[in-house]
Amino acid sequence: MLLVKETFWLWQFLGRLHPLLVHFPVSLLCVAFLLEVVGWYRKSAEWRAGITALVWIGAGSSVVAASLGLLLVNQEEYGGNTVVIHQWSGLATVLLALCTVFALRSGRLTLYRSFLFLTVFGVSLAGHYGAMLTHGDDYLTSVLPVNRSTKTQLAANSANFEFIRSNQPITNKQAEELNLEVRSILAHNCYSCHSASKTKGELRLDKKELVMKGGKDGVVLIAGHPEKSELIRRIKLPDSDKEAMPTKGKRLTDKDIALLEYWIEQGAAWPDGAEKSIYRVAALAPRLPIIPAATAELSNPVDRFVNVYFQKNKLTWKAVVDDRTYLRRVYLDIIGLVPTPQKIQAFTTDIRPDKREILVKELLADKDGYAQHWLTFWNDALRNDYTGTGYITGGRFDITTWLYTSLKTNKPYDQFVRELINPTKESEGFIRGIKWRGTINSSQRTEMQAAQNVSQVLLGLNLKCASCHDSFISDWKLTDAYGFANVFADSTLDINRCDKPTGKKAVSRILFTELGTINGKATTKERLRELAQFMTQPKDGRLYRTLVNRVWAQLMGRGIVEPVDAMDNEPWSQDLLDWLASDFATNGYDIKRLMYTILTSRIYQMPSIGIKDAGLITAPTFVFEGMVRRRLTAEQFSDAVSTVFNPIYADTSIVAKWLPKGIRKDVAFPRASLVKNDAFLTALGRPNRETVSTSRMSQANLLQALELTNGTTFNATLKSGAQKWKLNYSSPDLLIKALYWKALGREPRPQELAVAQKIVGKNLSLEGIQDLVWAITLHPEFQLIY
């Protein structure tokens, strides 16, 4: 096993060397070219020998660098036209370098110098596109000096305002649009130090009269004269200058600075009256859009909405995945397990045209499998765990019995939410939060935890900033957060700003007052009953949009709105989101029915999309093309290894104390969702659940790699499993084929079989079996949901 692991890490290490080694041949060949230009090749035999050596070494190392570059591309999943041009220009450069060497060796100096010139040109071209891959398309232009006319263009591009490009006087409406963009820049970059919550230098930039007034050092803005405005001078200073602003975090972009300059140049317009919010606020009420017309191939309403989006973005539908891929995908998404070889063979030979719909119904009918898998998602979201902070001291209460039963019975979501907000004894752990020991800040008290967690999980909004001070990322105020927290409190809360008393008392209120008015004089129990009824009304479209968006994200790898906890963000399809939420509410708040609609859609059945950079998932420029490829979660990976090879956990690992009576007989093996957290599951991404966690990182990381390489839990599982498999299989071929079928759902390919035979040996060595299982479980076909 050690040999296999060392080979794996060596391969990764060599790929990582590429960005370093590529500079070596570039430098040598460029030096040789410069020496040729100045004519030093003719100086002496020693100089000729030196230049010849430079060319030979440079050409040889360019071959090595290009080879390692191919490793890096395969390893990091770079894609697009840039990498294609980079690859081919690099290979062309290698060919030119070799031609240079041969021309030099044959003594044909004119041809040699011509090839050397072309080689240096090729190196420059390949290097240019390589830098674009690693540093972005604007890696050169971003550092060029920007003149006044260019800044005007930057401002125009920043806000996409045509009137800036026209150079004509702006209208009142255009002034409002410009001011909205300016306030957005100030809010995201300056409010943390210059607003009502914190006012450094007596300067506030969140209100018109205060911006114009300036701070203790005088005015910061002179309308019509950006070059005389202190605000512009400060934001343009280099990072090292002690007067540079902002003092913390990222500096303003050139586009932001250009827009502020243009705004001041135009008179720093700030319309009177009510200010339009600088933040997008999603509609609260439900909406039922008209379903687009069906086509011969698209009858599912989901596909019909997606088709409109595809047409708008000039995207084409791809062929659906094969039966084996679809089978594994829905198994993992519904019950969290990989299918057996028998099920794979039966499904792939089934000729019924509706077999995929039948399969989804069968899996959704597996009540225990469904509950044991989706328990993980809801444990993360509702910060429910079996051990950890608060359980020993009695400052925390689990909801596992209630949650498992709710999932097993497919409890309607409106009832599910009501029982969380106005809880029974079994479900009260969610809003009771964690009672922390010792001194805590005001935003950590249990009532504020309830307000934060309910708003995040059920409404997809962030109240954490507003629980300390007026939010810098939304319109929510400190009074809003305390008013909502007061609904959960047994006594009236004192409002604290940044943990300092304000002398004001909270007034109980719901976040969205359109839903109803909380009786502040009622008992806590009565207030919770009112809140539960108000929030689960059909007219609370936000509650149901948030839920369907979370389910979509779990099944498709990316929400219709991202991040899933920021439901005020723009969805890539407002109509699809609204229709799913309305259909969900109309049909009994049935989560399994919602899942069936998505899982049987054609878009779900299309090939998955690989994304190199996790940041692209939440980028505003994201274009939906289909399911985003995902890595197995910690629990899915653990259960897959347990199903395929050997159980990772013993029967005694199941936390029986928290499980409903009779559950043990429904568990085929100790599933990871039912065991306490440990180093193995933590390394693979399971959170500690002291706070809400509504999404997990899908990308592999160093901690995961180390745990799967040297972790005691995984290695112990491989060791004990190897002993069992050696007893059960009499020949290497039988063992290898059985393992491939169980793990990957197919026969090993001839080359794979040959390699596996060498690994396990003719006599089935225990270390060889461990090595083979380790290699297969790290195989992309096993690790990823395609």
Side-chain angles (χ1 to χ4, degrees), residues 306-325:
V306 171
N307 192 45
V308 172
Y309 176 85
F310 273 18
Q311 290 175 348
K312 178 181 177 181
N313 289 275
K314 299 180 181 179
L315 300 171
T316 57
W317 288 86
K318 299 182 179 69
V320 299
V321 296
D322 59 66
D323 285 341
R324 184 174 66 86
T325 301

Side-chain angles (χ1 to χ4, degrees), residues 609-621:
I609 307 298
I611 295 182
K612 184 190 73 173
D613 183 359
L616 297 175
I617 294 288
T618 56
T621 55

Side-chain angles (χ1 to χ4, degrees), residues 300-591:
N300 188 310
V302 169
D303 295 325
R304 289 151 71 175
F305 283 109
V306 171
N307 192 45
V308 172
Y309 176 85
F310 273 18
Q311 290 175 348
K312 178 181 177 181
N313 289 275
K314 299 180 181 179
L315 300 171
T316 57
W317 288 86
K318 299 182 179 69
V320 299
V321 296
D322 59 66
D323 285 341
R324 184 174 66 86
T325 301
Y326 180 77
L327 178 71
R328 186 175 186 272
R329 185 182 288 182
V330 293
Y331 256 78
L332 287 167
D333 278 341
I334 298 177
I335 62 174
L337 300 174
V338 292
T340 64
Q342 294 78 16
K343 184 63 182 178
I344 295 170
Q345 291 168 342
F347 186 72
T348 54
T349 56
D350 190 343
I351 60 173
R352 290 177 295 179
D354 59 345
K355 65 180 181 180
R356 295 192 176 189
E357 290 80 1
I358 294 171
L359 171 67
V360 172
K361 288 179 180 178
E362 289 176 351
L363 290 173
L364 289 172
D366 181 356
K367 297 179 180 180
D368 292 300
Y370 170 83
Q372 289 159 22
H373 171 55
W374 282 85
L375 183 67
T376 291
F377 168 78
W378 285 108
N379 275 342
D380 286 359
L382 302 179
R383 35 148 307 281
N384 179 62
D385 216 337
Y386 313 125
T387 56
T389 302
Y391 285 120
I392 297 175
T393 62
R396 187 178 181 185
F397 303 88
D398 79 279
I399 61 171
T400 309
T401 298
W402 172 86
L403 179 55
Y404 189 94
T405 303
S406 297
L407 294 173
K408 187 172 179 177
T409 58
N410 193 31
K411 184 174 292 179
Y413 186 65
D414 61 333
Q415 181 183 345
F416 182 92
V417 171
R418 281 195 295 271
E419 292 178 13
L420 283 173
I421 296 175
N422 181 30
T424 63
K425 188 70 176 175
E426 286 187 324
S427 62
E428 67 179 353
F430 175 58
I431 64 168
R432 289 189 64 171
I434 299 175
K435 188 175 181 180
W436 296 93
R437 300 181 66 187
T439 303
I440 60 170
N441 62 47
S442 302
S443 64
Q444 289 178 309
R445 59 184 303 161
T446 54
E447 299 91 341
M448 190 60 77
Q449 288 181 48
Q452 293 169 352
N453 295 343
V454 167
S455 61
Q456 180 181 353
V457 176
L458 303 180
L459 299 174
L461 65 88
N462 183 350
L463 211 60
K464 292 180 181 178
C465 291
S467 62
C468 188
H469 48 72
D470 289 350
S471 177
F472 303 138
I473 59 173
S474 69
D475 286 326
W476 295 109
K477 306 299 182 185
L478 184 66
T479 52
D480 297 325
Y482 269 90
F484 193 43
N486 208 57
V487 176
F488 303 92
D490 291 327
S491 59
T492 303
L493 299 176
D494 295 314
I495 298 178
N496 287 265
R497 175 179 287 113
C498 297
D499 221 26
K500 295 180 181 180
T502 63
K504 299 178 181 179
K505 295 284 187 178
V507 178
S508 299
R509 52 160 292 179
I510 194 170
L511 289 174
F512 296 99
T513 54
E514 304 97 308
L515 298 176
T517 302
I518 299 292
N519 182 1
K521 296 181 180 180
T523 63
T524 305
K525 182 65 178 175
E526 181 59 24
R527 291 199 302 272
L528 294 179
R529 188 194 65 80
E530 287 182 344
L531 178 61
Q533 292 298 326
F534 290 152
M535 282 187 58
T536 55
Q537 296 174 93
K539 69 178 182 179
D540 185 3
R542 188 179 185 111
L543 176 71
Y544 303 118
R545 287 189 187 96
T546 302
L547 183 277
V548 300
N549 189 59
R550 293 197 190 284
V551 173
W552 180 277
Q554 285 297 113
L555 300 177
M556 301 296 291
R558 200 264 189 198
I560 301 173
V561 176
E562 278 289 338
V564 292
D565 291 335
M567 287 300 292
D568 285 317
N569 285 354
E570 190 84 34
W572 58 259
S573 174
Q574 186 70 60
D575 285 349
L576 175 59
L577 179 65
D578 288 346
W579 182 85
L580 283 171
S582 294
D583 184 70
F584 176 67
T586 302
N587 289 282
Y589 310 99
D590 186 340
I591 294 179

